């Protein structure tokens, strides 16, 4: 049902043939242009009080954009850190020599084979789902608007 909704939204005349991803990016793209607009207006403003107000707005908008960028960078850094921590958590210090190391190596090799088999099954399932979605898209007829 969600896929049908997306198709309907993306073909709706008010959406201007934009895809949902484009619609999500648009507000962020627009807000990054505000400083340019305020600078242009300020450069043509002759009244000192108005020019100062525009300068104050420009400082506020730039501060807001810097805060958004900092927030997004912090989230990206935290995500990267979590991924790295998850990879590291599986490692343990081995005490002793050869036999224990061989057992651990065998166990980890088998675990990796299991993960590879699971990954292959996921890829096959994704490919099957993709084929089903393509078949659905080819046969889907959007509802006709009533007058």
């Amino acid at each position: 049902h969600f896929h049908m909704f997306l198709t309907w939204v993306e073909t709706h005349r008010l959406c201007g043939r934009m895809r949902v991803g484009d619609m999500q990016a648009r507000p962020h793209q627009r807000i990054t242009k505000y400083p340019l607009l305020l600078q242009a207006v300020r450069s043509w403003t002759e009244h000192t009080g108005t020019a100062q107000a525009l300068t104050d707005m420009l400082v506020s908008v730039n501060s807001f954009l810097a805060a958004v960028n900092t927030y997004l960078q912090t989230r990206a850094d935290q995500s990267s850190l979590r991924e790295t921590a998850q990879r590291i958590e599986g490692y343990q210090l081995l005490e002793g020599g050869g036999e224990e190391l061989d057992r651990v190596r065998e166990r980890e090799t088998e675990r990796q084979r299991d993960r590879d088999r699971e990954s292959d099954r996921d890829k096959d399932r994704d490919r099957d789902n993709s084929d089903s979605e393509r078949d659905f898209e080819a046969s889907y007829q959007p509802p006709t608007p009533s007058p």
Side-chain angles (χ1 to χ4, degrees), residues 98-113:
E99 288 180 28
E100 183 179 355
L101 185 57
D102 290 339
R103 281 194 308 273
V104 169
R105 190 176 296 136
E106 274 182 46
R107 190 172 55 237
E108 289 305 314
T109 301
E110 188 58 36
R111 285 182 183 166
Q112 185 59 46
R113 284 187 197 124

